[in-house]
């Protein structure tokens, strides 16, 4: 046992803990699923590209195929006790991490056997290395083999030609491959979702654990629950997950969806406080234009949930939404309808925040500009007023300003491994944009979180942690960037895009560590051989990448040493010469 009076021992314990934490982070990066190239239209995936996807698919129970999750089967076979504490924030123990590594290795081996020699060999492999009997593993491997076969066929070009000829293209669901493997084969006419089926029972069940973790994390860091949160809800994400983001909003408010006699989700009911066991959180929802267009009944559902909760006769310390609405009305700031407005989107027919364009074009002077732009674009209210009149995109800037002014945490659900927060500029335009707006209106930077509901146990990370993970797993990972560089011109543009999107997180949330820019510079610009490849393949993107690094320094996001900056300036000069045809 370590005692307080034993400084050497506690130093060594601290060192052990640091090494252990590092080990945990390394495993996380190593085992993260990343795209290792772009999809080429019409080209089937190669067997070697499939293993990681198959592993992810097999990490969930697939009741529709009678298949259990492989990690659970292997853990059971090896006699490991799996922690059931899905709401716990506790880090895994060293023993648990070792077990995870072992499970990972056993599954890798079996999946390799599946690819090389088929189902029976995979079953045999699992039986030998983890005592999993054939009756249990056959359904999983049958499912995986079927998926693998579908990944190896590709009718996209034929389907496109059919569509252009006006012929019938069979329909198929639109979803993430891990969430719903029935999206295969590709090359079908993608259909979306019935909004009256949102959120599904599965989405609502999964959302509970994530929301509990989110609130536990905030509480651990701040000593109390967040009194108000701002959520970003996107259309495509809620199609893919059948409304996981929507369900999270409902859980934060402490309500459950209710279906009508036609089995359509059209109402909500409050979960009693003694069952909920915590206060109801005030939730400000920023929905994308796509969500507004696709999920009209869901927009009404969310607005109904807010109005229901605001009018519950409950103590104010257990119902933050009610408290805020009452404060505003009693202070004479506005009427009850305005005080209950919580669902905001663009004006009808408009999309996006434009924060991304302003960042990409370096067109902002002061910090406040980006947050102001976000609210200007997104301050249109949707729902129904207390007389039952539809509100469809009524400008409500004052309502949005006062709702955001109370926000203590912002959040977005991430449900896919294909697109992360540095792959596209939309995450920072939305989550970054709303966080910047809150920073000004609440005079405090909010805590910013993302979930990772793609892993079976659903994780919560801070924005800064997520940026670090994405940087390690993608931008600076040779497996990722070499995969991109195989695509030549487009690949360099993807790398540059990642750097610019990372910069977007500096601009909107100051969430990027100095080392990120330093290592980007070292990997892509100061390495002569790499720079030569980039400028040969795509000098325009190479130029943008170096300019972005200099801008990061100029705007105070990156504290670079003077020699590095001199080198970057020299390289920019020579790239400009190259582009102008001087060199
Ligand atoms: C959406 O699905 O709502 C969405 C897609 C791309 C960018 C922003 C939002
Ligand atoms: Mg900094």
């Amino acid at each position: 046992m370590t005692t307080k009076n034993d400084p050497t021992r506690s130093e060594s314990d601290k060192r052990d803990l640091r090494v252990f934490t590092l080990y945990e982070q390394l495993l996380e990066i190593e085992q993260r699923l990343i795209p290792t190239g772009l999809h080429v239209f019409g080209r089937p995936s190669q067997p070697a590209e499939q293993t990681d996807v198959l592993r992810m698919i097999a990490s969930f129970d697939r009741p529709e195929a009678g298949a259990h999750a492989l990690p659970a089967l292997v853990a059971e076979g090896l006699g490991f006790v799996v922690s059931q504490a899905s709401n716990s924030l506790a880090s895994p123990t060293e023993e648990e991490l070792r077990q995870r590594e072992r499970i990972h290795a056993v599954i890798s081996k079996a999946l390799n056997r599946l690819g090389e020699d088929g189902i029976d060999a995979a079953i045999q492999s699992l039986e030998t290395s983890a005592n999993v009997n054939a009756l249990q593993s056959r359904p999983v491997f049958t499912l995986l083999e079927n998926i693998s076969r579908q990944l190896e066929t590709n009718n996209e070009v034929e389907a496109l030609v059919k569509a252009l000829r006006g012929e019938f293209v069979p329909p198929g669901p639109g979803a993430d491959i891990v969430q719903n493997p029935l999206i295969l084969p590709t090359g079908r006419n993608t259909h979306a979702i019935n909004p009256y089926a949102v959120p599904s029972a599965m989405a609502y069940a999964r959302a509970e654990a994530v929301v509990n973790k989110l609130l536990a994390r905030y509480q651990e860091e701040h000593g109390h629950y967040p009194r108000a949160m701002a959520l970003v809800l996107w259309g495509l994400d809620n199609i893919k997950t059948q409304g996981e983001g929507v369900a999270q909003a409902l859980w934060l408010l402490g309500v459950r969806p209710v279906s009508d006699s036609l089995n359509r989700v059209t109402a909500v009911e409050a979960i009693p406080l003694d069952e909920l066991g915590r206060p109801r959180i005030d939730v400000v929802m920023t929905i994308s234009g796509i969500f507004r267009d696709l999920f009209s009944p869901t927009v009404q559902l969310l607005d109904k949930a807010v109005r229901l909760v605001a009018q519950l006769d409950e103590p104010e310390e257990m119902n933050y939404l009610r408290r805020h609405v009452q404060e505003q009305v009693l202070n004479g700031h506005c009427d009850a309808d305005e005080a209950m407005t919580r669902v905001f989107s663009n004006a009808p027919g408009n999309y996006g925040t434009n924060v991304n364009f302003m960042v990409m074009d370096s067109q902002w002077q002061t910090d406040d500009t980006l947050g102001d732009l976000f609210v200007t674009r997104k301050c249109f209210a949707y729902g129904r007023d207390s007389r039952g009149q539809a509100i469809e995109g009524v400008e409500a800037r004052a309502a949005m300003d006062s709702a955001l002014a109370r926000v203590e945490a912002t959040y977005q659900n991430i449900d896919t491994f294909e697109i992360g927060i540095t792959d596209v500029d939309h995450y920072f335009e939305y989550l970054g944009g709303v966080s910047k707006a809150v920073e000004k209106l609440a005079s405090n930077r909010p805590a910013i979180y993302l979930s990772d509901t793609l892993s079976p146990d659903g994780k919560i990370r801070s924005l800064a942690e997520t940026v670090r993970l994405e940087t390690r797993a993608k931008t600076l990972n040779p497996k990722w960037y070499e995969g991109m560089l195989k695509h030549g011109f487009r690949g360099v543009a993807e790398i540059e895009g990642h750097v610019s999107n990372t910069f977007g997180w500096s601009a909107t949330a100051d969430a990027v560590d100095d080392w990120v820019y330093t290592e980007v510079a070292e990997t892509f610009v100061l390495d002569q051989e790499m720079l030569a490849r980039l400028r040969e393949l795509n000098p325009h993107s190479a130029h943008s990448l170096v300019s972005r690094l200099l801008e990061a320094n100029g705007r105070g996001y990156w504290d670079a040493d003077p020699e590095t900056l001199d080198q970057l300036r020299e390289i920019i000069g020579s790239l400009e010469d190259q582009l102008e045809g001087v060199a």
Side-chain angles (χ1 to χ4, degrees):
M1 280 292 289
T2 314
T3 67
K4 275 191 186 148
N5 301 333
D6 180 357
T8 42
R9 186 62 187 270
S10 81
E11 270 312 304
S12 103
D13 277 357
K14 274 193 221 151
R15 196 192 55 216
D16 284 357
L17 186 66
R18 277 204 300 275
V19 172
F20 176 64
T21 311
L22 204 57
Y23 170 60
E24 190 187 344
Q25 288 177 357
L26 271 177
L27 271 190
E28 184 174 44
I29 294 167
E30 184 191 332
Q31 296 180 359
R32 192 163 173 86
L33 195 54
I34 56 162
T36 50
L38 301 169
H39 174 65
V40 178
F41 191 78
R43 203 204 77 173
S45 84
Q46 305 300 307
E49 296 166 349
Q50 292 177 14
T51 313
D52 289 341
V53 174
L54 295 182
R55 173 202 299 284
M56 250 347 248
I57 291 172
S59 12
F60 294 88
D61 281 335
R62 301 283 170 188
E64 67 284 6
H68 285 297
L70 267 187
L73 287 180
V74 172
E76 197 187 319
L78 292 173
F80 297 159
V81 180
V82 181
S83 152
Q84 293 301 315
S86 70
N87 292 340
S88 155
L89 281 181
S91 291
T93 62
E94 195 169 340
E95 177 65 16
E96 280 167 342
L97 280 184
R98 284 197 200 295
Q99 292 181 352
R100 270 190 217 172
E101 252 187 314
R102 174 94 188 275
I103 294 170
H104 194 83
V106 166
I107 294 175
S108 295
K109 199 163 135 195
L111 291 178
N112 286 339
R113 296 302 310 272
L114 179 71
E116 284 159 15
D117 302 306
I119 294 185
D120 289 332
I123 291 173
Q124 177 74 48
S125 165
L126 221 53
E127 190 145 32
T128 316
S129 50
N131 314 310
V132 179
N133 82 42
L135 278 180
Q136 286 195 295
S137 63
R138 187 171 292 280
V140 196
F141 289 124
T142 307
L143 173 73
L144 295 183
E145 194 184 50
N146 195 11
I147 291 170
S148 168
R149 219 174 308 118
Q150 288 182 319
L151 282 168
E152 282 163 25
T153 55
N154 188 306
N155 296 321
E156 289 165 359
V157 173
E158 291 81 349
L160 177 63
V161 172
K162 272 191 174 176
L164 292 173
R165 283 203 199 110
E167 292 173 11
F168 177 69
V169 177
D176 178 88
I177 185 170
V178 176
Q179 305 263 8
N180 183 4
L182 292 178
I183 63 157
L184 295 172
T186 58
R188 288 185 294 169
N189 191 359
T190 307
H191 60 74
I193 198 166
N194 168 8
Y196 285 108
V198 162
S200 69
M202 168 94 152
Y204 189 70
R206 280 168 63 85
E208 180 183 13
V210 173
V211 164
N212 286 345
K213 279 187 195 173
L214 176 63
L215 293 177
R217 167 107 194 223
Y218 184 91
Q219 206 184 25
E220 190 179 276
E221 291 175 346
H222 299 86
H224 59 86
Y225 287 112
R227 284 170 279 255
M229 291 189 61
L231 263 56
V232 173
L233 294 173
W234 283 356
L236 300 181
D237 289 20
N238 280 285
I239 290 175
K240 283 187 288 186
T241 61
Q242 306 209 317
E244 215 164 74
V246 171
Q248 291 167 355
L250 298 182
W251 270 111
L252 286 166
L253 288 164
V255 301
R256 58 171 74 95
V258 177
S259 301
D260 65 14
S261 56
L262 297 173
N263 208 20
R264 302 178 315 163
V265 179
T266 48
V268 285
E269 65 184 17
I271 301 168
L273 281 174
D274 52 0
E275 199 181 311
L276 191 62
R278 58 158 171 89
R280 302 183 197 279
I281 314 296
D282 185 349
V283 184
V284 187
M285 290 158 276
T286 304
I287 63 174
S288 68
I290 297 181
F291 187 105
R292 172 204 57 202
D293 295 350
L294 294 178
F295 284 102
S296 185
T298 318
V299 170
Q300 295 303 331
L301 190 80
L302 292 168
D303 180 62
K304 253 186 211 173
V306 168
R307 286 166 182 277
L308 172 80
V309 169
Q311 291 172 74
L312 291 171
D313 185 10
E314 290 174 341
E316 59 175 35
E317 71 280 6
M318 291 303 283
N319 185 332
Y320 300 147
L321 176 64
R322 176 181 171 79
R323 176 163 82 194
H324 296 152
V325 169
Q326 297 253 327
E327 272 169 13
Q328 272 205 293
V329 174
L330 290 176
N331 291 340
H333 288 160
C334 61
D335 64 15
D337 273 328
E338 184 174 328
M340 287 190 284
T341 306
R342 291 292 182 280
V343 185
F344 298 94
S345 188
N346 296 85
N350 281 345
Y351 301 84
T353 72
N354 291 357
V355 168
N356 46 341
F357 301 133
M358 193 177 262
V359 170
M360 290 302 171
D361 294 342
S362 308
Q363 290 294 328
W364 82 105
Q365 308 293 337
T366 69
D367 255 19
D368 292 346
T369 316
L370 297 173
D372 282 346
L373 176 62
F374 181 89
V375 180
T376 305
R377 294 282 301 171
K378 284 285 171 187
C379 67
F380 295 82
Y382 288 81
R384 209 168 272 283
D385 68 17
S386 42
R387 288 165 303 144
Q389 301 277 359
I391 306 168
E392 288 187 44
V394 175
E395 188 165 8
R397 176 143 201 154
M400 190 173 197
D401 278 352
S402 63
L404 289 179
R406 292 185 215 96
V407 164
E408 294 178 312
T410 59
Y411 167 76
Q412 185 165 359
N413 189 44
I414 307 268
D415 54 53
T416 175
F417 70 88
E418 284 181 306
I419 301 173
I421 65 163
T422 55
D423 286 303
V424 292
D425 54 7
H426 300 303
Y427 285 107
F428 81 75
E429 67 153 324
Y430 272 86
L431 185 62
V434 74
S435 302
K436 201 74 197 162
V438 168
E439 186 180 332
K440 178 183 170 199
L441 293 162
S443 306
N444 222 339
R445 180 172 294 154
I448 311 175
Y449 300 107
L450 295 126
S451 66
D452 176 350
T453 60
L454 117 108
S455 50
D457 57 348
K459 251 192 156 145
I460 297 293
R461 293 194 185 87
S462 70
L463 172 62
E465 286 165 358
T466 313
V467 171
R468 281 180 210 124
L469 180 60
E470 287 263 318
T471 302
R472 285 274 176 238
K474 289 186 188 155
T475 320
L476 293 173
N477 180 353
K479 200 169 155 188
W480 180 82
Y481 63 73
E482 288 298 345
M484 289 299 154
L485 287 173
K486 282 193 204 130
H487 298 277
F489 183 90
R490 182 67 226 159
V492 186
E494 287 288 323
I495 295 169
E496 187 274 321
H498 269 246
V499 176
S500 286
N501 296 330
T502 304
F503 172 88
W505 289 116
S506 286
T508 55
D510 195 20
V512 185
D513 302 329
D514 282 274
W515 66 260
V516 170
Y517 293 111
T518 305
E519 292 197 23
V520 164
E522 281 167 4
T523 307
F524 298 109
V525 190
L526 303 177
D527 177 323
Q528 305 257 331
E529 209 176 301
M530 179 57 87
L531 179 64
R533 286 170 74 193
L534 300 189
R535 61 195 295 170
E536 153 112 37
L537 291 169
N538 182 343
H540 297 276
S541 291
H543 180 268
S544 305
L545 192 157
V546 184
S547 309
R548 199 61 82 187
L549 286 172
L550 286 169
E551 187 181 0
N553 171 260
R555 288 194 185 262
Y557 308 147
W558 176 35
D559 187 13
D561 62 59
E563 301 91 271
T564 301
L565 292 172
D566 284 346
Q567 277 177 284
L568 293 183
R569 287 192 198 102
E570 202 178 301
I571 291 166
I572 269 281
S574 92
L575 277 162
E576 273 160 15
D577 288 347
Q578 181 182 343
L579 288 171
E580 286 162 14
V582 178

